[in-house]
Amino acid sequence: MKSKVTKLAGLLLGVAAVTSLQVQAETLRLLTWGGYAPQEVIELFQQETGIEVKVTKSNNEDMISKLRATGGAGFDLAQPSQDRISSAQAEFNIYRPIDLARIKSDLFIPSMLEATVKNTSIGDKVYGVPHVWGTSGLVVNRKAAPDVRDYTDLCDDALAGRVSYRLKRPTLIAFAFALGEDPFAAYGDRAQYARILEKVSARLTECKPNVKKYWSGSDDLLNLIRSGEVVAAMAWDAGGWKLNKEDPDTTFVAPKSGALGWIDTFALPRKSKAEDAAYQWINFVMRPDIAAKITAESSYFTASKGASALVEKEQTRRFEESFPQAAIDNIKWYPPVPAGLEEMEGKVLDRIKAHR
Amino acid sequence: MPVLECASLTKRFADFTAVDNVSMAVEQGSFYSILGPSGCGKTTLMRMLAGFERQDSGNIRIEGKSMTGVAPNRRPVNMVFQHLALFPNMSVAGNIAYGLKRRNTPSAERERRVGEVLERVGLAGSGNKRIEQLSGGQQQRVAIARCLVLNPQVLLLDEPLGALDLKLREHMKIELKRLQSAFGTTFIYITHDQSEALVMSDRVAVMNHGRFEQVGSPQDLYYRPGSAFVAGFVGDNNRWQGVIEQRVGAKVRVRTEQGLPVEAQAAAGFQGGVGDAVELFVRPEAIRVQLQDGGGEAENRLQARVIEIVFDGARSRLQLRQADSAQEILVNLPHTPEFATLGPGDRLYLSWHAHQCSLFTVGAGR
Amino acid sequence: MKRSQFGLGFWLLLAPLLLWLVLLILLPHVDLLLISLRLRSGPGTYRFSLHHYAEFFTEPLYWRTFLRTAIMSLLATLLTLLIAFPLAYYIAKMMRGRAKQLLFLLCLIPFWVSELVRTYGWMILLRESGVVSGLLQWSGLTGAPLEMLYNDAAIMVGLVYTAMLFMVVPLITTLDSLDDSLIEAGYDLGGNGWNLLWEVVVPHAMPGIVSGCIVVFMLTLGNYLTPTLLGGKDSLWFTEQIYTQFITRFNWEQGSAFGILLLLLSSLMVWLGLRLSGQSFTQVMGR
């Protein structure tokens, strides 16, 4: 009698184990940004490997919060920005190191891979490899706001109630550069950084009446610009190029003080259950043909070597119009954020928001 | 001059006429009842008097002043509602003071008058109680005091005893009558309970299908019903269908459908002749019941056997059947000792006078 | 033979309720409290501290937002009551039969879609390129496009709209149970509309008013979507602060402290509301 029960229980356990193994083997839970995993690419990947990809759209803060809440479980692959990895890892221990031997490194633009690996390392452990890169700058309707050349031009009286930006750390950094400071150089010097923040805060507070609203999602902003309610904004380059397809007057402008360059990475959550699938996905989407598809879909460029040759001409034209060589050289790439800075920035952002 | 007069009041709702051409006059200081079955239009009539409904035609005058277009809160009448409608969130005194406050009576005088009226209705000292702390009868008295403290010309009462149990209702009938005569206020009282109307009223109007069937003293209605409806509605009655067999002046002989010949006396104005169909009413309490044939001068004398004894204490009835005609007759059970052993099948001798019968031709009404 | 009143069946029936209360309500709040009372002393290490509560009281931004949220919620509750009361009275007392059900249903219809969609609806109406602005321009009342979004009035409109149903339903229920003859009696005794409202109708409807106000106040206080979407850059709602602390700042400790403070505020308001109106909690929630 007893043995029968044991057998039955064993059988049930076995079935459960097999099913869960199958689920693990066949699903990749991807925590990423909108546009990074187009449906077409997901389908191609499934045809090739039989692995199903489940996408959760997110942003930097949300990714960290989600992974923090579960101690790094719930997702098999995440795509945080390279500057946000090491501090989050040190604080919350939510990622596992990446085995570079399992990455086909010849698919990557070497300089980008090298920079990202360096920025996301703690000791000899590497936590990120690059995927998509882009910049923050200005999206401008050149007819309605012809004089917008730099971030601080958004505060021009002529544009009162017609501009928008996010109330987040990139805006603080951008205005710091536009006000002639170098916030990245001050990362290591809290007092200096606090002084810069104070200056930026004063400017942004002064600028607040000019702002129609602080945008929160990319679609939100694009709609404001499409309807003409907003004519100039600080935003991502891809958004500007997307609008340029619909209306040639509107496009992305690299600001005088420099566009802010970011690289979004691949990072493995600490409790990832489909590590193999994650590596397969990375090596798949970095193939030039696949990377070009992603660029075509989202207007974002990738760290894939040789993909730019496959991107359609219009896309390249838009990029070159926004980025003359001098502007490319002037891109300010985010270094890793030391712990503690974000708390200071948070308070400044709160105060700007509270000012009436 | 009557304190309240109505002339040709009519109220129609979408598909029926609730009050049909009613006229009435109520004397100052009298207790006037409107008695009728539910749906007869008495509540609508009262709501018109209070001002909650507007008449389609006709006129209401109180103390000679037309009430047309006068809102309920400006009429010199007050109303005691069927479920009393005491304000549950106010104390007893608060309820009574409500109307005085609306008249801006100074608070000292208000308190004095509230205390006075509470004393007069026998609730002295209960002013601070909450409504739900009072018994049904006490609540009744608060509802009346709440109106009387305003010294209305007329107090309207909409079946206020309906929700009380029997014992309390009997008691409140006396109480109401006593209050009315103590205050001297004119009461207009609506009820479907003929006993309430008979006990308390100076005058009673019997209402049916939106019309007044008969207006008179309780004795008039009981002894001299003006229509078959009144005879049937006021008090209990044996109600027999029949045909006139013979008529000599006021003396009429009727043969009932079951074949019982009955001698009756026609009221003044009775138009029926030989062969006419009639309804004949004899009150159970008007029939003399004897174990032996006692003789006497009663015009109607017959024998009958007991079918059933319907025991109801003082109101116990005997269901009898006359031997020759199979006519069933209802009589009161006398509670004298010789009837104690009465049982089904026993023979009884019945007799009643011709003038104790009421006679109405069928269809004509009166 | 006599069995205990609290037998096995009793406990089995009670179990789901207890589980629900403990697992989904009690535990998270206890956890919230514990998190709010610790301070990060190094990567991944914490110690006990009231720092995050002190932070709330010393940083004007936080307690001002808190106060603003409380006052705006009170105002929204009051406005909702003022608008809902005549509406509920009309439906409960003036309407009969089918018309009554139809009107009641009309009140429900907006709640068939989610709060998000309803809020977007208001955004479409009020935004500069929106319907109202367009109508005003078309009718010539205004020359240029008019921005009606992103201010406190827009937040208020959204909050009142969102909360309306939760006020109308308890009001209709209590007003429905008000015997018409009470109103007639008051009228008959010389009262007019105004003092009847205050002395008869409002006292009777008090449990409904209080329960409606409690629900609306708590919903408004805890609302996140409406103030954020309709308030734009000046929304400043306390739940937004909590969200920011948890999600953007990774500061769960501060967020938890805020959460506990918000819980205290709403409990205090419910208690005050009941005290001031002389109602008991069971009486009000029984409606």
Side-chain angles (χ1 to χ4, degrees):
Chain A
M1 185 64 192
K2 197 180 175 187
S3 71
K4 232 180 193 173
V5 172
T6 326
K7 264 185 198 161
L8 190 67
L11 192 68
L12 281 174
L13 274 176
V15 168
V18 168
T19 348
S20 66
L21 271 178
Q22 270 174 345
V23 169
Q24 277 170 27
E26 286 184 0
T27 311
L28 176 70
R29 295 164 301 167
L30 184 61
L31 185 61
T32 185
W33 302 72
Y36 285 18
Q39 192 56 39
E40 190 194 350
V41 173
I42 290 174
E43 277 163 17
L44 284 173
F45 182 64
Q46 187 162 15
Q47 275 174 26
E48 205 156 295
T49 63
I51 298 169
E52 192 189 337
V53 181
K54 272 195 202 155
V55 171
T56 304
K57 286 181 188 169
S58 182
N59 60 50
N60 270 324
E61 291 85 8
D62 184 65
M63 279 182 211
I64 299 173
S65 293
K66 281 203 164 81
L67 293 175
R68 182 193 172 185
T70 57
F75 297 94
D76 304 312
L77 186 60
Q79 297 211 260
S81 295
Q82 49 95 10
D83 58 316
R84 308 290 283 266
I85 292 182
S86 54
S87 60
Q89 172 60 16
E91 180 73 25
F92 308 126
N93 188 22
I94 49 181
Y95 300 118
R96 73 168 67 157
I98 287 180
D99 180 1
L100 288 177
R102 298 180 69 177
I103 303 278
K104 292 180 187 161
S105 52
D106 53 340
L107 289 174
F108 290 78
I109 299 171
S111 62
M112 240 177 228
L113 180 61
E114 194 185 330
T116 305
V117 165
K118 188 177 136 235
N119 279 349
T120 59
S121 294
I122 298 177
D124 56 353
K125 294 194 173 96
V126 176
Y127 289 95
V129 291
H131 178 212
V132 168
W133 66 275
T135 65
S136 301
L138 297 163
V139 173
V140 180
N141 181 333
R142 286 175 290 189
K143 226 181 205 166
D147 299 326
V148 176
R149 301 258 183 277
D150 207 345
Y151 302 111
T152 40
D153 292 339
L154 295 175
C155 304
D156 187 358
D157 288 342
L159 300 176
R162 288 267 168 279
V163 303
S164 183
Y165 43 78
R166 289 199 298 170
L167 203 55
K168 292 213 163 164
R169 69 180 308 265
T171 311
L172 298 177
I173 304 287
F175 271 73
F177 278 116
L179 291 170
E181 302 285 347
D182 186 348
F184 294 159
Y187 264 16
D189 179 353
R190 288 181 73 112
Q192 171 68 0
Y193 197 71
R195 197 190 56 75
I196 294 176
L197 281 181
E198 212 46 58
K199 193 170 165 187
V200 170
S201 165
R203 192 60 201 267
L204 284 174
T205 308
E206 198 184 308
C207 193
K208 193 175 178 186
N210 246 36
V211 177
K212 176 154 199 97
K213 83 176 273 200
Y214 300 124
W215 63 269
S216 50
S218 171
D219 291 335
D220 181 22
L221 175 73
L222 296 191
N223 282 331
L224 282 170
I225 298 178
R226 280 192 190 108
S227 70
E229 291 181 42
V230 161
V231 296
M234 177 181 167
W236 296 312
D237 48 18
W241 295 327
K242 213 177 207 174
L243 288 172
N244 188 259
K245 274 189 223 171
E246 300 161 21
D247 169 20
D249 284 336
T250 304
T251 194
F252 180 81
V253 172
K256 225 163 47 187
S257 56
L260 301 177
W262 43 261
I263 301 172
D264 287 338
T265 66
F266 291 111
L268 288 169
R270 189 158 62 87
K271 294 178 183 165
S272 168
K273 284 183 176 169
E275 209 181 4
D276 292 338
Y279 283 114
Q280 282 188 62
W281 173 259
I282 296 172
N283 290 326
F284 179 75
V285 297
M286 291 313 289
R287 268 166 37 187
D289 56 325
I290 304 297
K293 281 190 203 302
I294 292 176
T295 305
E297 170 78 20
S298 64
S299 298
Y300 290 118
F301 289 88
T302 66
S304 164
K305 195 165 69 179
S308 54
L310 301 172
V311 166
E312 61 168 303
K313 280 215 181 69
E314 262 303 287
Q315 211 122 4
T316 319
R317 183 195 64 72
R318 284 192 201 103
F319 177 84
E320 282 165 356
E321 188 187 10
S322 300
F323 281 105
Q325 190 55 46
I328 296 182
D329 296 340
N330 196 26
I331 292 177
K332 309 283 196 279
W333 296 96
Y334 284 103
V337 191
L341 283 196
E342 288 182 83
E343 205 185 325
M344 291 164 69
E345 291 160 357
K347 286 225 169 130
V348 169
L349 293 172
D350 277 347
R351 264 181 226 128
I352 297 168
K353 166 114 203 200
H355 184 83
R356 325 202 73 185
Chain B
M1 192 177 72
V3 63
L4 183 143
E5 261 186 302
C6 301
S8 314
L9 272 187
T10 299
K11 176 75 188 174
R12 282 179 212 92
F13 291 110
D15 50 352
F16 78 111
T17 305
V19 175
D20 188 2
N21 202 26
V22 163
S23 299
M24 64 191 271
V26 180
E27 290 302 322
Q28 174 73 52
S30 66
F31 197 121
Y32 191 102
S33 290
I34 299 169
L35 172 66
S38 57
C40 73
K42 58 188 190 302
T43 297
T44 307
L45 175 59
M46 174 155 287
R47 290 176 61 81
M48 282 195 285
L49 298 181
F52 295 127
E53 302 278 359
R54 175 185 287 258
Q55 68 267 27
D56 291 327
S57 63
N59 199 357
I60 301 168
R61 285 174 178 282
I62 297 174
E63 293 218 295
K65 285 193 277 292
S66 169
M67 287 293 119
T68 308
V70 178
N73 52 353
R74 307 214 174 281
R75 293 193 183 195
V77 298
N78 289 116
M79 183 155 167
V80 176
F81 287 78
Q82 189 165 10
H83 299 292
L84 305 182
L86 294 170
F87 304 128
N89 55 303
M90 300 179 201
S91 66
V92 169
N95 265 279
I96 297 174
Y98 180 86
L100 293 173
K101 270 193 210 161
R102 301 289 83 78
R103 291 182 180 180
N104 297 319
T105 312
S107 72
E109 192 195 337
R110 208 161 65 207
E111 257 172 63
R112 183 180 59 75
R113 283 172 69 176
V114 170
E116 226 173 67
V117 81
L118 274 174
E119 195 165 343
R120 288 182 75 178
V121 299
L123 286 172
S126 299
N128 290 325
K129 286 192 181 162
R130 302 202 58 80
I131 294 302
E132 67 267 19
Q133 288 177 286
L134 301 185
S135 70
Q138 288 170 325
Q139 291 186 4
Q140 199 78 239
R141 282 182 273 167
V142 173
I144 292 163
R146 180 172 76 169
C147 295
L148 290 181
V149 76
L150 299 174
N151 296 322
Q153 290 299 328
V154 176
L155 182 67
L156 307 172
L157 300 101
D158 184 6
E159 305 204 35
L161 304 187
L164 302 183
D165 62 59
L166 182 68
K167 260 283 187 315
L168 189 55
R169 196 156 63 217
E170 293 300 320
H171 172 73
M172 282 308 292
K173 281 183 207 165
I174 314 291
E175 180 94 14
L176 263 181
K177 180 70 188 165
R178 189 186 62 75
L179 276 175
Q180 191 263 336
S181 50
F183 278 84
T185 309
T186 312
F187 277 32
I188 298 183
Y189 187 97
I190 277 198
T191 183
H192 66 273
D193 182 318
Q194 39 115 352
S195 153
E196 287 175 19
L198 295 183
V199 169
M200 294 186 282
S201 312
D202 299 315
R203 287 185 81 71
V204 180
V206 180
M207 196 169 180
N208 190 29
H209 293 308
R211 292 169 168 275
F212 279 0
E213 290 268 343
Q214 185 178 4
V215 182
S217 69
Q219 291 80 359
D220 283 342
L221 299 178
Y222 185 78
Y223 292 120
R224 289 172 290 282
S227 69
F229 175 79
V230 175
F233 194 71
V234 179
D236 293 320
N237 248 326
N238 286 293
R239 179 182 200 148
W240 296 328
Q241 318 290 326
V243 176
I244 296 178
E245 241 179 21
Q246 188 186 351
R247 176 169 182 178
V248 181
K251 287 174 78 74
V252 179
R253 181 187 296 144
V254 175
R255 186 168 294 274
T256 68
E257 277 178 352
Q258 271 73 28
L260 178 72
V262 182
E263 300 292 339
Q265 189 164 343
F270 178 74
Q271 297 295 329
V274 174
D276 285 352
V278 291
E279 277 191 300
L280 184 103
F281 293 86
V282 187
R283 296 202 180 275
E285 56 270 31
I287 299 174
R288 169 180 293 208
V289 185
Q290 288 170 304
L291 292 172
Q292 315 293 324
D293 188 0
E297 74 279 17
E299 290 86 345
N300 296 296
R301 286 161 58 187
L302 50 88
Q303 296 175 23
R305 287 188 186 277
V306 177
I307 304 171
E308 199 182 352
I309 301 170
V310 185
F311 186 77
D312 185 15
R315 289 164 45 83
S316 298
R317 293 288 160 80
L318 292 173
Q319 184 96 36
L320 307 174
R321 182 178 290 136
Q322 201 250 344
D324 303 335
S325 63
Q327 178 68 54
E328 292 199 0
I329 306 170
L330 207 60
V331 302
N332 275 9
L333 170 66
H335 282 275
T336 43
E338 60 268 33
F339 291 97
T341 57
L342 203 66
D346 290 353
R347 182 200 302 260
L348 292 173
Y349 293 86
L350 310 180
S351 62
W352 68 92
H353 289 275
H355 65 80
Q356 289 177 306
C357 300
S358 301
L359 202 56
F360 304 97
T361 48
V362 173
R366 65 182 76 194
Chain C
M1 275 311 281
K2 204 171 161 194
R3 292 182 53 179
S4 162
Q5 191 188 345
F6 303 116
L8 181 66
F10 173 82
W11 290 111
L12 278 177
L13 283 172
L14 196 65
L17 179 69
L18 278 178
L19 274 178
W20 188 67
L21 282 174
V22 170
L23 289 181
L24 294 177
I25 302 206
L26 197 63
L27 279 184
H29 281 95
V30 169
D31 196 32
L32 206 67
L33 183 68
L34 290 178
I35 291 179
S36 77
L37 287 171
R38 67 184 201 194
L39 180 67
R40 179 176 169 276
S41 53
T45 55
Y46 300 92
R47 62 183 169 81
F48 174 85
S49 166
L50 288 171
H51 169 82
H52 296 105
Y53 291 93
E55 186 77 7
F56 171 81
F57 289 105
T58 48
E59 173 63 61
L61 164 69
Y62 297 151
W63 60 258
R64 277 198 197 135
T65 308
F66 188 74
L67 215 60
R68 174 186 142 86
T69 309
I71 291 170
M72 291 269 285
S73 299
L74 271 181
L75 193 64
T77 308
L78 198 70
L79 274 175
T80 313
L81 178 64
L82 286 181
I83 298 171
F85 196 89
L87 188 76
Y89 189 84
Y90 187 79
I91 293 176
K93 288 282 145 216
M94 317 286 230
M95 289 286 109
R96 293 279 173 269
R98 284 180 68 89
K100 186 173 183 167
Q101 287 166 0
L102 198 72
L103 274 178
F104 193 51
L105 202 66
L106 280 178
C107 290
L108 283 173
I109 282 178
F111 292 81
W112 290 357
V113 297
S114 78
E115 189 187 347
L116 188 67
V117 175
R118 264 178 285 146
T119 310
Y120 278 138
W122 277 108
M123 292 180 77
I124 290 170
L125 284 179
L126 295 179
R127 67 188 293 175
E128 194 180 338
S129 54
V131 177
V132 177
S133 170
L135 274 178
L136 287 176
Q137 286 178 76
W138 173 80
S139 66
L141 284 171
T142 169
L146 203 61
E147 177 66 275
M148 275 165 283
L149 213 53
Y150 313 132
N151 54 46
D152 286 356
I155 296 183
M156 208 43 97
V157 166
L159 288 176
V160 169
Y161 184 74
T162 305
M164 191 59 84
L165 182 75
F166 301 94
M167 188 67 90
V168 167
V169 169
L171 282 181
I172 288 183
T173 322
T174 42
L175 287 174
D176 233 2
S177 70
L178 172 63
D179 190 350
D180 284 347
S181 67
L182 277 180
I183 300 172
E184 286 181 349
Y187 207 30
D188 182 71
L189 291 167
N192 56 32
W194 186 247
N195 64 55
L196 270 174
L197 177 71
W198 284 110
E199 304 221 10
V200 179
V201 181
V202 168
H204 178 88
M206 203 37 107
I209 292 175
V210 174
S211 94
C213 284
I214 287 177
V215 172
V216 168
F217 180 78
M218 293 211 273
L219 277 179
T220 311
L221 199 65
N223 200 326
Y224 173 77
L225 272 178
T226 308
T228 326
L229 288 178
L230 297 180
K233 61 181 179 183
D234 288 323
S235 60
L236 279 184
W237 209 252
F238 200 65
T239 45
E240 204 184 346
Q241 283 287 346
I242 298 179
Y243 178 88
T244 308
Q245 292 300 340
F246 268 97
I247 304 299
T248 321
R249 303 286 150 69
F250 318 127
N251 195 344
W252 289 11
E253 293 75 27
Q254 191 67 61
S256 303
F258 287 176
I260 294 289
L261 286 165
L262 198 64
L263 182 70
L264 287 179
L265 174 69
S266 56
S267 311
L268 179 77
M269 285 301 192
V270 170
W271 180 78
L272 269 179
L274 290 172
R275 276 311 281 269
L276 289 179
S277 61
Q279 304 288 322
S280 78
F281 191 71
T282 41
Q283 191 182 356
V284 165
M285 287 304 145
R287 287 276 159 188

